[in-house]
């Protein structure tokens, strides 16, 4: 089975549309979204509608969580907060209700899907977990494979039962050792922060035991123009280049 895992679309419709085009070629058996479909970008409503149209389930991201808990907005830095206020204005009540009731975790073909950090954190970044903590983290849930988003980076963490190792996913394919457990950080569709401005997502091949990274170019200039026209913070646009 091929499972496509995408995360952090962040209202970037141009990036998401190109990813959907790429998925038409890949033809995965299932697609799942790891949250933060909204926030930062100019098209949160259209992105969520498109997820719904393609029947792509999603877990709750910290941006959706914040829409549900506006009193906790101080948790965000000032520009993220302004982005979220703008996002709230752009969402219909129906879509806002939908995204704020997404589940914290999903179980897909024996894997655990969560936005921030296993077993179920929406807000914790994987890079905040200190190495000594990782064995305990792996023992907190049973799934051999866990997919996370949130950092907008592409990374792997591996537990062989004795030792934790980790690294960046720089190439195209990550081979999974059958006896080991992994946390895979899948990168971002709509707000990459890994030094490569293309949209990213991964495809997990359950038989071949591989995770393949897809890097998809899209019309950045168009998204940038919309971000600035709507009065979102300039950094949301500058980060895309
Ligand atoms: Zn995010």
């Amino acid at each position: 089975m091929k499972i496509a895992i995408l995360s952090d679309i962040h209202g970037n419709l141009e990036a998401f549309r190109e990813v959907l085009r790429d998925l038409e070629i890949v033809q995965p058996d299932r697609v799942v979204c790891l949250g933060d479909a909204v926030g930062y970008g100019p098209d949160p409503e259209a992105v969520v509608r498109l997820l719904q149209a393609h029947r792509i389930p999603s877990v709750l991201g910290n941006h959706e969580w914040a829409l549900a808990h506006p009193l906790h907005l101080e948790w965000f830095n000032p520009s993220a907060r302004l982005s979220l206020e703008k996002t709230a204005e752009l969402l219909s009540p129906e879509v806002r209700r939908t995204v704020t009731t997404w589940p914290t975790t999903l179980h897909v073909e024996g894997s655990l899907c969560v936005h921030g950090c296993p077993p179920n954190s929406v807000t914790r970044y994987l890079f905040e977990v200190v190495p000594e903590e990782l064995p305990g983290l792996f023992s907190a849930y049973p799934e051999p494979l866990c997919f996370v988003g949130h950092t907008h980076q592409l990374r792997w963490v591996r537990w062989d039962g004795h030792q934790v190792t980790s690294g960046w996913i720089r190439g195209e394919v990550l081979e999974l050792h059958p006896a080991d457990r992994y946390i895979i950080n899948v990168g971002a569709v709509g707000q990459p922060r890994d030094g490569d401005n293309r949209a990213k997502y991964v495809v997990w091949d359950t038989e071949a035991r591989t995770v393949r990274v897809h890097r998809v170019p899209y019309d950045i200039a168009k998204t940038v123009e919309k971000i600035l026209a709507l009065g979102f913070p300039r950094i949301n646009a500058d980060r895309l280049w």
Side-chain angles (χ1 to χ4, degrees):
M1 260 197 153
K2 279 186 189 167
I3 320 289
I5 302 120
L6 33 127
S7 190
D8 296 275
I9 304 169
H10 280 299
N12 187 332
L13 186 60
E14 288 70 36
F16 185 33
R17 276 198 185 129
E18 289 304 329
V19 163
L20 288 172
R21 253 175 229 134
D22 203 60
L23 286 171
E24 279 171 26
I25 302 161
V26 174
Q27 291 281 316
D29 298 283
R30 293 178 71 176
V31 186
V32 60
C33 172
L34 300 183
D36 275 7
V38 307
Y40 299 131
D43 289 299
E45 177 87 7
V47 163
V48 176
R49 297 266 182 207
L50 209 46
L51 280 170
Q52 290 174 320
H54 286 262
R55 298 181 187 283
I56 301 172
S58 182
V59 296
L60 188 76
N62 58 304
H63 283 248
E64 287 90 25
W65 178 84
L67 285 170
H69 303 90
L71 293 175
H72 292 272
L73 274 180
E74 73 273 12
W75 187 84
F76 284 76
N77 66 49
S79 80
R81 201 182 315 154
L82 176 61
S83 295
L84 215 52
E85 283 159 4
K86 289 233 156 268
T87 298
E89 287 166 26
L90 292 168
L91 288 178
S92 65
E94 186 196 337
V95 163
R96 185 173 175 155
R97 213 165 25 245
T98 299
V99 302
T100 51
T101 53
W102 280 342
T104 306
T105 58
L106 281 172
H107 297 87
V108 180
E109 296 302 316
S111 74
L112 173 66
C113 296
V114 59
H115 182 66
C117 191
N120 57 11
S121 177
V122 175
T123 52
R124 191 174 196 201
Y125 291 95
L126 189 58
F127 56 61
E128 288 174 343
V129 182
V130 294
E132 307 78 65
E133 223 185 313
L134 281 163
L137 192 69
F138 276 103
S139 66
Y141 63 97
E143 290 81 2
L145 204 49
C146 173
F147 294 100
V148 300
H150 198 28
T151 66
H152 301 204
Q153 297 168 344
L154 282 154
R155 279 187 77 78
W156 55 270
V157 181
R158 176 177 161 199
W159 170 242
D160 66 4
H162 304 283
Q163 203 186 352
V164 175
T165 44
S166 65
W168 300 97
I169 310 176
R170 300 204 194 278
E172 255 181 47
V173 181
L174 177 72
E175 310 254 353
L176 304 174
H177 296 247
D180 299 346
R181 295 175 67 199
Y182 290 84
I183 303 169
I184 309 287
N185 207 165
V186 304
V189 170
Q191 271 274 330
R193 289 178 201 157
D194 61 340
D196 177 318
N197 64 13
R198 293 172 291 181
K200 318 291 182 322
Y201 74 97
V202 305
V203 177
W204 168 38
D205 187 320
T206 59
E207 277 88 47
R209 295 179 188 278
T210 55
V211 172
R212 181 178 290 273
V213 180
H214 289 248
R215 296 173 171 87
V216 185
Y218 72 96
D219 189 347
I220 298 174
K222 191 168 175 186
T223 311
V224 161
E225 199 182 300
K226 288 200 253 178
I227 286 173
L228 298 178
L230 283 168
F232 276 93
R234 188 169 192 103
I235 186 172
N236 298 9
D238 290 347
R239 266 182 178 160
L240 295 179
W241 295 110

